[in-house]
């Protein structure tokens, strides 16, 4: 990614509004995952949810993304409940979960093209560039079923480079990436928050020193 | 290009890339037709009597079978999650998906049905009724089927559950469709039945997408 | 020749349509079966030759 | 003796050898095939006498019977090639099987369509659920199944194996299918519309038929060679002998 | 306890835990039987004539539909991989799987078929023939079906490919089964047909497991 | 795991034989993954395969496990080709791949019970103990679909504690584990090799200092 591109992004992200969870509580199978949790996510934040397996990180992430409505409390975006202004909110955040939404019979390029179809301003050349950036140059036209686990993950992550959204919500994005890939992704996260973007992430991987990094610890309330 | 058009295009590309997706329903249709004479009685006069019903039952079953994969793949690989995350209208997606399904299953079936009806010794004057009843009826099957497919998409061995949900909804269409063909065969008026099918189709087009959108959301909240 | 004239030959009694249809379809199927692999072969060889040329250019 | 057989087997397994030998043999199949087909067709259409019952529509027999015979034997050959591939993992056999499938299916289709067309003037209907017709239709389905499987899996090797397994299972089943269908039809329905019992065919009718049968078999061999050679070229495209072949003008012809 | 018995037991437990797995084929069977009179002609005498054939066709289709999931789940979740890794005989597993499938689909169907045949007005003397022909025939359907299911387990939208592969193989059983019932209905001898079914069953029990074992291996080598 | 238990294991593993790959080569889609690779795995070895995404680590692992036969060269166990002595070999090694072979409707205990069914010497109490060791005490009877990603992984890893095999082949076992889980697994690996066992593993995670650790690096031959 060239500096000019991130500068441009930085301007674009000036309109980012706060994402605030007010006293959210969630229980599953009579076990309380978190209770009266409040969380404010602002421009330039990089927030990592940490906690042991089964602590409720994925659950909290999906709830903040507006994908899960099975909880108490409210999540506000720009002062409004995200379910109310869902369409606007959705255009401002990118959610990448465990499942990659990649069609195995299609090529990386075709998959990426589908991902960005809501953003008409994204150009075809950007897609090629993004695939090259995730070191998939030469694989643009290979059906995804023939890619290795890490390569498929990279296709999903190429979206980070092309969708112009200020808020990224990522669930264990480091899965299956090799060292170089991990370094690349950390770099992307750092650049994104530096450019005024915001990242909400779960990972068991310890992120290297990015100044904006904050932890939210979820414990096991047995 | 909006996400809906992109999805329709993508699904058609996938279907073109594994031709099984649209050829198999056709083959199944053909084979169910072949089972009947084998199991019942190959006498041509006898077959002529049951032809209308058997062709319609076969069309219905073959649509039913191709429904299973309509949303399942999308749920499993996370495409649906991305749809919901995108904030675009699920109503439009439901319509788009039903349309793709019809292109892949109902349309080819309508085109070859008259040919196969030959093998069942269908009376000559029933051919146009067969064609038009299928042309009006199969989109309804796809639309109603989408409701069932959405309801059962997250369920293991959903294929059969799907048939349970759907078959009762299909019976009126079966009755009107088969009786149009039967009446045409014995040289009676059949426009009434086609009229009913047409009005069902309008209703299905406006109403079922709501149900599909609702059902799809159920698959996601975890 | 069994037929008296060419018109008779074409008419085949009353069965000209059926007979000629059969032979026509057969001809088409056979020709397609011959042409398809030949075209495929041509395409294969051209494609391979192109690749070779490209590799040679890259090497030099 | 055993050694010679083994050598032959290894040779057969070598794509290069097969390619070269088929280059040499191809004309010896193609030319007689063309001759037989032309002679048989002209003789059958123009010179053979008409059937006293069916008139001229009976001339369809010169396509119908050879196609029907070939469709059945092609399936057996395909299954055999599949077995060789499964047991000895000889890739050549898989390519041959994959080449046979679409050709066999074409002939099966021809037998069906010519039979159906023939049925209209003789029986007054395009299709009846007669035992032979039905078992032929099922054979076509089996071909389709094998072809679908030969492309279904994610690697070529697996697809070939899947196709081979189904063709073997199908081969065991074909006699059962044929037998059961025969038995079914004779029981359910008195033989009002069976295929004409083989009359003691006049020699001037029989000879063109035999020529056509020979022509169809030779054509079949030619077609299998053509397709298999393409498969060899594709799979061996990295090998030096293919590269040489492509550079020589002869290879392009 | 060996892995084979453990697997049979486990699969039965799973079936007991989602009853849909064995209830759905039954319901499907019921519904195909119900569709027929609707589509064709509800006249009881007419139905009596076609009852034998329709019951058998319905049984065959409902077996076919339940086959799809026979190995698919095992391939996708890695169970099959573990089977192969365990080094135990795939032949035994194939037999075990076909047996479980029969317990879940063929057996319940055989038990309720006479009841449903009532609805189709099957002649009284045909009931025992119906029961015994299904008792001998459905295991063959399961065994042959296992071959198809194994061949198509790794294939997307394999359900319909499966029918393409299997239906031609099913026809002899359909013919013998239906004609046994039909002959019993018109008070003719039908032991011959049952004898054929019995000998088919023996053949299928010894031969099909080889094909299944071979086909299962295909799904693994990558 | 108590010290006495590992002592017992140490005795059990005295019969371990060398696993040797002789000049194995593998290509996928015309790209050579590795060529003439030779590798000797001996008693007490801990070998980690490292390399970028798509390098062929999974492929090599499956090949050494005997699950993939699509390669050139030979893999020997005790001087014999593993395909020849597959049954013996299979009883001596444990393979855990990307797919966990866990049935979602069954409980962790039931899943574990199935895994060990080939080893009649494993007792029920061992299974409870193993689940407790992977901190799933209290979850023994919860269907696995209600467990989080990491908890499901732990069920699969509990097998390490109960199956008495000297050779472990593990493909990215650290996926989805939290810090504590990672530490636990590293400890298990160290104990296993100390007790005379052998481990062959792929992971993008840097293992902490275990004396026996060796790396095999797979590169990208483009
Ligand atoms: C779709 C319709 C038909 C199919 C699928 C069909 C199939 C076959 C098959 C498989 C054979 C070869 C049997 C063998 O020797 O192995 C055959 C032979 C023959 N068919 Fe047909 N047939 C059809 C229609 C007809 C019709 C309409 C006629 C004429 C009335 C006819 C006349 C014959 C004759 C004369 C033979 C050669 C005699 C013999 O080998 O027994 N077929 N047909
Ligand atoms: N579908 C479900 N039904 C009931 N309970 C569930 C469901 N999914 C998850 N849970 C429970 O919710 C809890 C939190 O799950 P979640 O997936 O949020 O954990 P996590 O923090 O993401 O863990 P991991 O690090 O393993 O991914 C778990 O203890 C699990 O038992
Ligand atoms: N089914 C397949 N068909 C064709 N090629 C494949 C297939 N599976 C994998 N490959 C290719 O084989 C190569 C190696 O894949 P493999 O899964 O072994 O990589 P890996 O080293 O495990 O990578 P990762 O770290 O991403 O898991 C990849 O480049 C991929 O393109
Ligand atoms: Mg999680
Ligand atoms: Mg891997």
């Amino acid at each position: 990614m060239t500096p000019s591109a991130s500068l441009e992004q930085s301007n674009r992200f000036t309109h980012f509004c706060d994402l605030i969870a007010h006293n959210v509580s969630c229980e599953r199978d009579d076990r309380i995952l978190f209770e009266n949790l409040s969380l404010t996510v602002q421009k330039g934040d990089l927030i990592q949810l940490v906690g042991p397996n089964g602590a409720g990180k994925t659950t909290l992430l999906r709830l903040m993304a507006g994908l899960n409505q099975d909880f108490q409390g409210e999540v506000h975006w720009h002062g409004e409940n995200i379910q109310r202004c869902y369409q606007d909110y959705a255009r401002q955040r990118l959610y990448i979960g465990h499942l990659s939404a990649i069609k195995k019979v299609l090529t990386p390029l075709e998959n990426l093209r589908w991902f960005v179809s809501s953003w008409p301003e994204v150009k075809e050349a950007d897609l090629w560039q993004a695939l090259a950036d995730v070191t998939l140059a030469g694989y643009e036209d290979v059906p995804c079923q023939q890619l290795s686990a890490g390569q498929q993950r990279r296709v999903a992550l190429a979206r980070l480079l092309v969708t112009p959204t200020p808020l990224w919500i990522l669930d264990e994005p480091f899965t299956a990436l090799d060292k170089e890939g991990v370094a690349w992704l950390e770099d992307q996260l750092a650049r994104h928050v530096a450019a005024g973007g915001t990242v909400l992430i779960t990972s068991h991987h310890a992120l290297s020193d990015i100044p904006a990094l904050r932890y939210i610890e979820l414990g096991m309330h047995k | 290009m909006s996400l809906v058009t992109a999805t329709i295009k993508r699904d058609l590309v996938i279907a073109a890339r594994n031709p099984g997706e649209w050829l198999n329903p056709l083959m199944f249709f053909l084979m169910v037709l072949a089972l009947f004479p084998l199991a019942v009685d190959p006498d041509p006069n006898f077959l002529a009597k049951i032809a209308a019903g058997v062709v319609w039952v076969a069309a219905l079953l073959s649509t039913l079978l191709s429904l299973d994969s309509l949303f399942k793949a999308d749920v499993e690989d996370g495409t649906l999650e991305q749809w919901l995350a995108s904030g675009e209208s699920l109503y439009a997606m439901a319509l788009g998906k039903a349309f793709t399904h019809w292109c892949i299953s109902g349309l080819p079936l309508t085109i070859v049905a008259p040919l196969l009806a030959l093998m069942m010794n269908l009376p000559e004057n029933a051919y146009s009724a067969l064609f038009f009843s299928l042309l009006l009826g199969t989109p309804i099957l796809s639309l109603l089927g989408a409701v069932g497919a959405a309801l059962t998409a997250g369920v293991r061995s959903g294929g059969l559950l799907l048939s349970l949900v759907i078959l009762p909804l299909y019976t009126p269409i079966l009755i009107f469709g088969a009786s149009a063909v039967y009446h045409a065969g014995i040289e009676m008026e059949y426009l009434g039945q086609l009229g009913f099918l047409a009005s069902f189709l309008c209703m299905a087009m406006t109403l079922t997408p709501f149900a599909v959108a609702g059902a799809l959301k159920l698959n996601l909240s975890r | 020749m069994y037929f008296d004239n060419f018109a008779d030959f074409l008419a085949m009694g009353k069965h000209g349509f059926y007979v000629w249809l059969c032979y026509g379809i057969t001809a088409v199927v056979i020709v397609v079966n011959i042409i398809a692999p030949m075209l495929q072969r041509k395409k294969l060889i051209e494609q391979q030759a192109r690749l070779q040329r490209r590799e040679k250019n890259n090497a030099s | 003796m055993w050694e010679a057989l083994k050598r032959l087997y290894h040779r057969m397994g070598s794509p290069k050898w097969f390619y070269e030998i088929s280059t040499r043999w191809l004309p010896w199949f193609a030319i007689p095939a063309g001759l037989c087909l032309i002679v048989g067709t002209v003789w059958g259409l123009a010179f053979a006498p008409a059937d006293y019952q069916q008139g001229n529509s009976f001339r369809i027999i010169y396509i119908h019977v050879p196609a029907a015979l070939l469709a059945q034997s092609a399936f057996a050959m395909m299954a055999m090639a599949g077995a060789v591939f499964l047991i000895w993992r000889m890739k050549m056999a898989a390519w041959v099987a994959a080449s046979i499938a679409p050709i066999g299916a074409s002939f099966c289709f021809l037998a069906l369509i010519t039979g159906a067309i023939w049925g209209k003037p003789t029986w007054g209907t395009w299709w009846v659920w007669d035992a032979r017709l039905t078992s032929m239709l099922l054979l076509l389905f089996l071909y389709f199944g094998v072809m679908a499987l030969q492309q279904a899996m994610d690697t070529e090797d697996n697809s070939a194996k899947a196709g081979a397994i189904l063709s073997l299972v199908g081969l065991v089943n074909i006699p059962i299918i044929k037998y059961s269908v025969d038995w079914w039809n004779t029981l359910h329905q008195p033989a009002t519309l069976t295929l004409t019992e083989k009359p003691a065919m006049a020699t001037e009718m029989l000879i063109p038929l035999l020529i056509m049968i020979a022509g169809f078999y030779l054509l079949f061999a030619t077609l299998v060679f053509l397709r298999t050679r393409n498969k060899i070229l594709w799979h061996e495209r990295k090998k030096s002998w293919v590269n040489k072949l492509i550079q020589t003008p002869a290879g392009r012809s």
Side-chain angles (χ1 to χ4, degrees), chain A residues 35-105:
Chain A
E35 207 166 13
N36 292 330
L37 186 140
S38 294
L39 174 63
T40 306
V41 185
Q42 285 167 321
K43 189 167 146 69
D45 274 353
L46 167 57
I47 298 185
Q48 180 178 10
L49 302 181
V50 292
N53 290 138
K57 301 179 293 298
T58 300
T59 310
L60 181 58
L61 216 61
R62 290 175 60 85
L63 168 170
M64 299 288 282
L67 292 171
N68 188 342
Q69 299 174 39
D70 183 14
F71 65 98
Q72 271 89 52
E74 302 215 332
V75 180
H76 285 204
W77 162 262
H78 194 196
E80 205 176 348
N81 190 316
I82 48 171
Q83 294 304 333
R84 291 268 162 66
C85 58
Y86 189 67
Q87 303 238 341
D88 296 335
Y89 175 55
R91 284 191 63 79
Q92 300 298 316
R93 71 103 176 76
L94 181 65
Y95 172 80
I96 301 185
H98 284 289
L99 301 171
S100 57
I102 283 176
K103 293 286 178 196
K104 299 271 172 98
V105 286

Side-chain angles (χ1 to χ4, degrees), chain D residues 151-215:
Chain D
Q151 287 150 16
M153 305 274 174
D154 48 7
T155 69
E156 216 161 316
D157 225 45
N158 285 347
S159 305
K161 281 184 197 153
I165 290 174
L166 181 62
S167 56
L168 282 173
V169 175
L171 193 65
V172 175
N173 244 277
I174 281 178
I176 299 178
I177 291 175
K178 220 176 144 100
Y179 171 73
S180 65
V181 168
D182 273 340
W183 178 83
W184 152 71
N185 198 298
T186 44
L187 272 183
H188 265 230
Q189 197 198 3
T192 45
L193 290 177
T194 48
L195 297 180
T196 46
E197 276 300 307
K198 191 185 274 177
M201 211 189 251
T203 22
E204 59 267 41
M205 291 175 170
L206 191 62
I207 290 173
L209 182 60
L210 293 179
I211 293 176
M212 282 300 267
I213 291 176

Side-chain angles (χ1 to χ4, degrees), chain B residues 32 68 92 105 124 205 211:
Chain B
V32 173
D68 189 22
S105 74
E124 263 174 41
M205 287 229 276

